[in-house]
Structures are given as C-alpha cells and as structure tokens.
Amino acid sequence: MTFWQVTLKLLEGFGMTCSIFALTLVLALPLGLLISFGSMSKFKPLKLVVKVFVWIIRGVPLMLQLFIVYFLPAKLFDGEVFTRFTATIIAFAINYACYFSEIFRAGIEAVPRGQIEAGQVLGMTKFQIFTRITLMQVIKRIVPPMGNEIITLVKDTALARVISVIEIIKVAEQMMSYAIIWPLFYTAVFYLIFVGALTLLFGYFEKKMSYYKV
C-alpha cells in the first residue's frame, strides 16, 4: 500500500476516533455536572449512592467497563442489546462523567462561601448566584484539570478497539495483514496533532480567563 492509501485509510479510522471523542464530551460534561450536584447533596442517602457509584466507576478500568456494557446485556437478554459503537459511547460517557464530576465538585466547593452569601443578601436566586457568581470562577479553576482529562480522552478512544470498534488504531492493526507495521506508528502523528490543537485551545482559554482572580 502507498503512503497516501494508508493515510486515507487511517483518516477513516480517525473519523471514528473523533466521533467517540466528541460524543463522549457532549454527554459526559452535563452528566458530570449533574453527578457533582448529587455528590454535594444535603440528602445523605443520595450523596452516599452517588459517591459509591463514582468510586466504583473510577476504580474499575475503562476497558472492563466496555466489556460489561457491551457483553453483559447481550448475555442477559440473549442477543445484542447495544451496537459496539453505542456501547462504547455509553461506557466512555459514564466513565468520564464520573471523573468530570469530581473536577466540577472541587471547583464549586472552592468558591468562597462569602460570595454566595453576598448574592443571597442581594436577593439573588440560587440559579442567579450559580450562573452570575459561581460559574465563571468554577470554569477558571477547572480548565487545567479538565484539559488534562480531555486530552486523556483522546488517547483512551483507542480502547474502543477491544470490542472491535474500527477506530484509527484498529485500522492500523488491520493493515498488519498486508505485512506492514509502520502505519501503527504513523497513527501517533494523528494523535499528536489532535492533542497539540487541544493544548493550544486550553492555553487560550486559560489566558482569556486570567482576569478572574482566584
């Protein structure tokens, strides 16, 4: 196979990689925020359940979670319940939502209580306090750790191949049947470009938000 043929094949797999990445973010970010509210709830049973759930998800390897989401329902219901791609998105979204929830929780709890009380004195609702006082300070605090997790997500998409999702690494592995191994190493270029772009993007966000003193 020529260099350009390999490149085009890898680009097809990279499209799947980007799809997994994008859908995981779209689902995991709001779900993570919701889970963080549960972990900070004053209703102790809910708080306990959420914390145990987060502990389990963070403690079990993502690869194993992929196997559980795809194969367990199929065994229980005697047939495929989720497609391989759907199972991948479910497992990734839940896993990353739990990691994001801890980042959100730390960011929210780091906002000085006095600022929230000041908003209450001014007659602001809880929603107004969160959106106008808390949110921007939380974003300022969470951009660096959130950036690290999102960059990790780019590389973790390669795990989808364990349930035969045809992402870029899987495509490169299939090319080994042609007795060529260099495409496997060539995939690093795609990851480096993707991660490099994200690094610049998060650096830009940090600079733009530097006027929020924390």
Side-chain angles (χ1 to χ4, degrees), residues 153-196:
L153 170 59
V154 174
K155 295 173 284 186
D156 276 353
T157 56
L159 291 173
R161 76 186 190 283
V162 301
I163 56 172
S164 299
V165 174
I166 312 299
E167 46 71 60
I168 189 170
I169 296 290
K170 187 70 174 178
V171 172
E173 288 177 344
Q174 290 174 342
M175 289 182 185
M176 293 175 70
S177 63
Y178 296 96
I180 52 174
I181 194 172
W182 64 266
L184 193 60
F185 303 104
Y186 182 30
T187 60
V189 174
F190 293 81
Y191 284 107
L192 287 171
I193 292 172
F194 199 175
V195 169

Side-chain angles (χ1 to χ4, degrees), residues 9 81 89 109 122 132 140 143 175 187 199 202 208:
K9 283 287 185 181
V81 176
I89 299 303
E109 291 181 344
L122 293 172
R132 298 181 184 181
K140 161 68 179 178
V143 166
M175 289 182 185
T187 60
T199 301
F202 284 115
K208 289 290 288 184

Side-chain angles (χ1 to χ4, degrees), residues 2-200:
T2 67
F3 174 81
W4 292 113
Q5 287 176 320
V6 169
T7 300
L8 289 174
K9 283 287 185 181
L10 291 180
L11 280 172
E12 291 178 12
F14 190 60
M16 177 62 74
T17 294
C18 292
S19 296
I20 296 170
F21 172 82
L23 286 173
T24 298
L25 274 189
V26 167
L27 295 172
L29 286 170
L31 181 57
L33 185 59
L34 185 62
I35 293 173
S36 72
F37 290 146
S39 66
M40 295 184 293
S41 175
K42 293 181 180 179
F43 184 55
K44 290 187 178 180
L46 174 61
K47 182 176 182 178
L48 178 62
V49 169
V50 171
K51 282 189 171 291
V52 170
F53 177 74
V54 171
W55 171 69
I56 292 172
I57 296 298
R58 294 179 72 196
V60 174
L62 178 53
M63 184 185 294
L64 182 55
Q65 292 173 39
L66 283 165
F67 287 139
I68 291 171
V69 173
Y70 181 67
F71 291 112
L72 184 59
K75 288 292 184 181
L76 292 175
F77 297 99
D78 196 27
E80 187 178 77
V81 176
F82 303 118
T83 65
R84 296 176 192 275
F85 180 74
T86 301
T88 298
I89 299 303
I90 292 171
F92 270 73
I94 292 173
N95 181 275
Y96 271 86
C98 289
Y99 279 95
F100 290 161
S101 73
E102 289 298 285
I103 296 173
F104 282 129
R105 180 189 59 77
I108 293 170
E109 291 181 344
V111 176
R113 179 66 188 174
Q115 295 187 22
I116 297 173
E117 292 173 348
Q120 292 171 338
V121 170
L122 293 172
M124 299 173 69
T125 65
K126 288 184 178 180
F127 180 76
Q128 289 174 325
I129 291 171
F130 181 76
T131 55
R132 298 181 184 181
I133 297 176
T134 306
L135 184 59
M136 298 310 294
Q137 295 183 63
V138 169
I139 293 174
K140 161 68 179 178
R141 288 179 167 88
I142 69 174
V143 166
M146 192 68 77
N148 289 335
E149 287 297 330
I150 291 174
I151 286 172
T152 299
L153 170 59
V154 174
K155 295 173 284 186
D156 276 353
T157 56
L159 291 173
R161 76 186 190 283
V162 301
I163 56 172
S164 299
V165 174
I166 312 299
E167 46 71 60
I168 189 170
I169 296 290
K170 187 70 174 178
V171 172
E173 288 177 344
Q174 290 174 342
M175 289 182 185
M176 293 175 70
S177 63
Y178 296 96
I180 52 174
I181 194 172
W182 64 266
L184 193 60
F185 303 104
Y186 182 30
T187 60
V189 174
F190 293 81
Y191 284 107
L192 287 171
I193 292 172
F194 199 175
V195 169
L198 288 174
T199 301
L200 292 174

